[in-house]
Amino acid sequence: MIHLPDRFSRFQPRETLARTQVLERGWPFFLDLCIAAIGLACFYAVIRIAMFWAGRPEPEIVVSLSPRALPHYAFYSIVRIGLAYLLSLLFAITYGYIAAYNRRAEKVMIAILDILQSIPVLSFLPPVMLAMIALFPTRQLGVEMGAIVLIFTGSVWNMAFSFYSSLKSIPKELMEATSIYSFSRFQRLFQLELPYAAIGLIWNSIMSVAGAWFFLMACEMFHLGSRDFRLPGLGSYLQTAADAGNGAAITWGLTVMILIIVATDQLVWRPLIAWSDKFKFEQVESSKRVTSPILHLITQSTALASLARHTLTPLTENLYPRLAKRRIEKIHQLATVKPPSRMRVIAVRIVVLAIVTAAVAYASFQAIALLRPLHASEYLHILKGALATFLRVNLALLLASLWTIPVGVAIGSNPRLARIAQPLAQIAASVPATALFPVLLLALVRIGGGMGIGSIALMLLGTQWYILFNVIAGAIAIPSDLKEVATLFRFSRVQRWKTVILPGIFPFLITGLVTASGGAWNASIIAEYFPIKGQILQTTGLGAIISEATGGGQFPVLLLATIVMALMVVTTNRLVWRPLFRLAETRYKLGG
């Protein structure tokens, strides 16, 4: 809030000064009341969710297409996506941290991450849903947890890749400074690693939540063999409206979804983006800063300021020195304690390796037994579908890169443009393409196209945003002093792109391409197999095979198609993306 100097107060009427003083005293109190109201609303939401989830599972929920049911459905979808995001954030930080600092486990963990991000949501569906229902057979919680885990599997992998790549690109001198000042792992995480990774993690969080909205229709309404699972939510509402061909209901559902996305952008993402701007690795402060009225209001709250001053600040001031002292004592103890014998370490490794080998051998034997009934014609059909989907995925990546790289750099380099374009991009990324697909398909049929072109278009709609949001994050993270040097030496546009922009966004671009590739394979289950008005529109591809096998309960075909998809993605990552990741960690790593 702006305070006028005393010498200007005599030019102010007394009534104006009194009104200003009242506002200055009353505004923080009003903010505290708003925060208290939000807290009470969250508490009420927890009670409502607990009551619903603790109840008995409903055998078959009838989804109403009345607009009056939308607030109720929107509430449940927001809760599912919110819990899935928190689970994704915790997993991404834990998994990325271990993979970045444990060299022995790094290769295995990244390979597992490659495999998991390539497995479509519907391939997780049977084991996840059956396991959750078995854990909670008499409660609605089982089906709800299954849907939350399915949303988690469709949105977590790009966050894990982002945090991992950010940790690998931390400047060496910053890591050395934490060692000199005896930072504990906990202190280094909260004072260096999380702040350094904040920009990429926030933008990938936006993409993850958008991806959750994209796959919401598949996670809230699906078939598993002869069983029909439906949950009250926006996804099931849109899916039911699309199946019925009800354009008015689709419009209502998309309108509510867009309103939620805009509100989330203004209340959550925009303040976080403005807050993370201070973590840019630069030596000259930029004159162009991202601003957020909500963040400004939060910083004016006396209740939050008092909570931070009397709770968080004393806690960290007492905790960090103790952790540093404990770390120094631990280092001295390790220096004096005799290390375990080499034979003992080898014996432990052999035992662990034997257990892992036995588990893998047992799982492989069970998989082979499940695949035994398949014929050679089915193998050929799956390989043919894999080749078709592979071509579509790479074509979609090429088309996406052609427009997302220049547009993402423009948005990330211009805060004024970002204020307008970022919410629009988030809305476009979050709207389920399956809800728009009937209109898109009809348009393609009229101009002579079909499911072959339509599947590429739908795949593009679902994956281009991974590249766009990562490029935006990369453009924002480019230090301002590098941009000013380019201006000072009057770089041409080509020189600026070659020496500043492309090297600056390169680590983020590779993360976006890797996750977009996995997302394209994942989106193939929807792009290549689409039910509409009682009929199935499909084209040759692995996604169509997986969707058809899931709906028909053909678990051998589902397993084989999933294995082939995972192998193709892992092979591509090993031959293409992994060398590019190493290049990003070495040649294009920021350093002082």
Side-chain angles (χ1 to χ4, degrees), residues 513-574:
L513 288 171
V514 171
T515 52
S517 176
W521 284 99
N522 209 329
S524 65
I525 61 173
I526 301 174
E528 297 174 347
Y529 185 93
F530 192 79
I532 180 173
K533 294 184 179 180
Q535 59 178 335
I536 303 296
L537 300 178
Q538 67 180 67
T539 186
T540 302
L542 267 184
I545 294 172
I546 289 174
S547 297
E548 190 174 9
T550 303
Q554 301 173 356
F555 297 115
V557 176
L558 176 63
L559 176 62
L560 179 60
T562 303
I563 291 174
V564 171
M565 183 177 288
L567 288 176
M568 294 190 70
V569 173
V570 171
T571 302
T572 304
N573 287 348
R574 290 293 144 201

Side-chain angles (χ1 to χ4, degrees), residues 273-289:
I273 291 171
W275 170 76
S276 68
D277 196 55
K278 64 183 180 181
F279 297 128
K280 289 176 64 175
F281 184 67
E282 59 185 10
Q283 296 171 340
V284 177
E285 186 177 0
S286 174
S287 59
K288 298 179 180 179
R289 288 293 182 185

Side-chain angles (χ1 to χ4, degrees), residues 280 412-413 475 478-488 496 500:
K280 289 176 64 175
S413 303
I478 295 176
S480 300
D481 38 0
L482 294 183
K483 298 178 183 178
E484 293 185 3
V485 168
T487 303
L488 181 64
R496 189 182 293 267
V500 178

Side-chain angles (χ1 to χ4, degrees), residues 20 120 201 240 290 509 564:
T20 302
L201 196 57
T240 304
V290 181
L509 177 61
V564 171

Side-chain angles (χ1 to χ4, degrees), residues 97 178 181-195 316 319-325 327:
Y97 188 91
T178 60
Y181 288 100
S182 301
F183 277 24
S184 64
R185 290 185 179 181
F186 181 82
Q187 187 175 4
R188 187 179 66 188
L189 174 66
F190 281 92
Q191 294 193 336
L192 172 61
E193 291 158 347
L194 282 177
T316 54
L319 181 62
Y320 287 155
R322 291 183 182 181
L323 291 175
K325 183 179 179 181
R327 181 175 181 270

Side-chain angles (χ1 to χ4, degrees), residues 377-399:
S377 59
E378 292 174 305
Y379 280 88
L380 291 175
H381 179 58
I382 289 175
L383 291 177
K384 181 181 177 182
L387 178 60
T389 305
F390 176 79
L391 295 176
R392 291 191 189 100
V393 166
N394 287 280
L395 182 57
L397 286 179
L398 178 61
L399 294 175

